[in-house]
């Protein structure tokens, strides 16, 4: 049994995750446009992962006899500057998402909602990985500086990222 307050907070997080997907889809489009096809692939995989995150929460809310309710998704920016700036924006966004997950966990603890605490554990771990990936890429981009060859090498690496669909989004 999840409280009404918890359901509302989880519904808000469905919206945050779909916005994340939308943001990375826009970044994919932008990097494709400026000729960074590998980065476009990286952000497209990120978009797909964010949709999985949204669906996990949606399925959890609905599986508990509640109603996952959807709200309008804000428009993301269309242009993002350099690849380094894009990853700095990505890290900043993921730090915001980590904060949202922490707040959800705080609420679940406050309400002694053990089921939701266990459910959210996956997201706590996922955010460590997400921020770690962004930090790694930012460090590499800072190392290569203005080198076009370096940028092409990173872009080639990013082309190799593959989306692995989960067997299920059920909790
Ligand atoms: Fe779903 Fe990137 O956090």
């Amino acid at each position: 049994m999840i409280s009404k307050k918890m359901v509302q907070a989880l519904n808000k997080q469905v919206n945050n995750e779909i916005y994340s997907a939308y943001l990375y889809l826009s970044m994919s489009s932008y990097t494709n446009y400026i000729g960074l096809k590998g980065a476009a692939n990286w952000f497209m995989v990120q978009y797909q992962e964010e949709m999985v995150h949204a669906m996990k929460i949606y399925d959890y809310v609905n599986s508990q006899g509640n109603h996952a309710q959807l709200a309008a998704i804000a428009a993301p920016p269309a242009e993002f500057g350099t690849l380094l700036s894009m990853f700095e924006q990505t890290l900043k966004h993921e730090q915001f998402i980590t904060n949202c997950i922490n707040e959800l966990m705080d609420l679940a603890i406050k309400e002694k909602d053990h089921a939701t605490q266990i459910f959210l554990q996956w997201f706590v771990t996922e955010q460590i990985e997400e921020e770690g990936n962004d930090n790694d890429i930012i460090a590499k981009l800072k190392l290569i500086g203005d080198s076009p060859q370096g940028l092409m090498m990173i872009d080639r690496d990013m082309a190799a990222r593959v989306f692995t669909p989960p067997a299920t989004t059920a909790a």
Side-chain angles (χ1 to χ4, degrees):
M1 159 92 192
I2 324 177
S3 74
K4 204 170 163 198
K5 194 170 172 190
M6 193 76 236
V7 170
Q8 279 170 353
L10 288 166
N11 278 338
K12 175 82 178 72
Q13 192 57 23
V14 170
N15 191 277
N16 286 336
E17 298 289 349
I18 297 180
Y19 176 78
S20 304
Y22 223 32
L23 174 66
Y24 299 134
L25 187 62
S26 184
M27 286 184 171
S28 180
S29 174
Y30 176 75
T31 40
N32 184 64
Y33 176 67
I34 63 173
L36 295 171
K37 305 285 179 189
N41 171 68
W42 195 97
F43 283 114
M44 186 61 82
V45 171
Q46 194 62 30
Y47 152 76
Q48 289 169 302
E49 289 202 350
E50 296 302 346
M51 286 308 296
V52 170
H53 299 173
M55 288 310 297
K56 265 184 179 288
I57 304 169
Y58 171 98
D59 283 345
Y60 176 67
V61 171
N62 278 347
S63 76
Q64 299 293 301
N66 292 290
H67 182 187
Q69 293 185 41
L70 307 176
I73 311 294
E79 298 197 0
F80 300 94
T82 65
L83 196 58
L84 174 59
S85 164
M86 290 182 84
F87 273 94
E88 285 168 344
Q89 292 169 64
T90 298
L91 176 62
K92 197 166 163 225
H93 181 69
E94 289 304 327
Q95 287 167 340
F96 162 73
I97 294 292
T98 300
N99 201 40
C100 294
I101 298 293
N102 288 342
E103 283 179 2
L104 283 169
M105 186 63 103
D106 288 346
L107 181 62
I109 290 168
K110 190 170 155 228
E111 297 199 342
K112 298 186 169 58
D113 178 346
H114 294 269
T116 303
Q117 286 176 51
I118 292 167
F119 169 72
L120 289 171
Q121 199 62 54
W122 185 92
F123 285 87
V124 172
T125 309
E126 177 70 9
Q127 285 309 117
I128 297 170
E129 192 189 313
E130 295 243 342
E131 287 192 31
N133 288 342
D134 297 338
N135 275 315
D136 285 352
I137 295 169
I138 287 169
K140 276 189 203 160
L141 286 167
K142 283 185 174 166
L143 271 179
I144 65 157
D146 291 332
S147 156
Q149 290 90 340
L151 187 59
M152 284 299 114
M153 234 172 67
I154 288 189
D155 193 56
R156 241 195 338 265
D157 288 352
M158 287 182 164
R161 189 180 186 197
V162 176
F163 173 64
T164 311
T168 174
T169 50

